[in-house]
Amino acid sequence: MTHSGLPESIDQLDVRITRTLARIGVPVVRVALGIVFLWFGVLKFFPNLSPAEDLAARTIEALTVGTVQSNVSLPVLAAWESLIGIGLILNRWMRGVLFLLAVQMAGTFTPLVLFPSETWTVFPIAPTLEGQYIIKNLVLIGAAMVVGATVRGGRIVSEPAEVARYSASAGVAEGQTRPT
């Protein structure tokens, strides 16, 4: 048995899998997040293709007190989401892209309050399909936070010993942090 409590052969496989996940996890999350944003954004360029189109347009109209109509808001939202997606996929302009994503995500939750009869069957415990569509954005926010944690060069490590080795080689004093 190893220190992990696994038989040696399984432990070696576990180490390889864990190291691979640590190496590719954030890029996979970033690209997947980008695909979702690009896909959903592009759909909004074409009338009646996005199931969120009507609710998004009415939300923006309500938030702007009627000053921004759907003929303006939907193409802007489509471009906004598409730009987020492209930036994530290409791994470019991350701080700006993640800022746009944060602003967009803040707006996506407002229908839960603005249109409760459409987003809840029983407030606040049983969302409608539209409400579920909105609430799943919590996962997108979490994914964006993981990606955001790497904009200064951070990374996921598979074992605590890697952090200790890096800190020692970089001359980081105990208690201080340094991008890993």
Side-chain angles (χ1 to χ4, degrees), residues 12 29 36 84 92 105 178:
Q12 289 175 1
V29 166
V36 168
I84 292 168
R92 299 283 187 257
M105 283 288 112
R178 180 132 183 172

Side-chain angles (χ1 to χ4, degrees), residues 147-166:
V147 171
T150 67
V151 298
R152 295 177 56 90
R155 65 183 175 93
I156 294 176
V157 296
S158 61
E159 297 184 41
E162 288 183 56
V163 176
R165 277 194 305 273
Y166 174 81

Side-chain angles (χ1 to χ4, degrees), residues 88-102:
L88 287 165
I89 291 167
L90 298 178
N91 197 21
R92 299 283 187 257
W93 324 290
M94 276 300 107
R95 287 175 179 84
V97 164
L98 292 171
F99 174 77
L100 292 175
L101 186 152

Side-chain angles (χ1 to χ4, degrees), residues 2-166:
T2 63
H3 72 281
S4 65
L6 297 170
E8 184 66 34
S9 60
I10 294 175
D11 187 63
Q12 289 175 1
L13 177 61
D14 184 61
V15 166
R16 284 197 308 265
I17 290 170
T18 305
R19 285 181 180 160
T20 300
L21 293 174
R23 189 179 73 254
I24 69 170
V26 173
V28 168
V29 166
R30 179 181 46 74
V31 170
L33 191 59
I35 289 169
V36 168
F37 270 90
L38 182 59
W39 195 333
F40 288 10
V42 168
L43 286 178
K44 289 179 182 75
F45 281 116
F46 302 97
N48 303 316
L49 275 186
S50 171
E53 169 181 314
D54 179 60
L55 188 58
R58 288 186 296 118
T59 300
I60 294 170
E61 188 173 341
L63 289 173
T64 63
V65 195
T67 58
V68 179
Q69 301 296 309
S70 64
N71 64 327
V72 173
S73 66
L74 284 176
V76 168
L77 183 58
W80 187 302
E81 290 179 356
S82 297
L83 182 63
I84 292 168
I86 291 167
L88 287 165
I89 291 167
L90 298 178
N91 197 21
R92 299 283 187 257
W93 324 290
M94 276 300 107
R95 287 175 179 84
V97 164
L98 292 171
F99 174 77
L100 292 175
L101 186 152
V103 171
Q104 193 269 352
M105 283 288 112
T108 64
F109 285 95
T110 57
L112 296 173
V113 175
L114 294 176
F115 308 111
S117 64
E118 294 177 49
T119 56
W120 302 100
T121 57
V122 177
F123 180 82
I125 57 170
T128 63
L129 190 57
E130 289 84 356
Q132 292 175 36
Y133 184 83
I134 293 166
I135 292 167
K136 66 92 178 90
N137 287 330
L138 292 171
V139 176
L140 300 182
I141 291 168
M145 292 170 73
V146 170
V147 171
T150 67
V151 298
R152 295 177 56 90
R155 65 183 175 93
I156 294 176
V157 296
S158 61
E159 297 184 41
E162 288 183 56
V163 176
R165 277 194 305 273
Y166 174 81

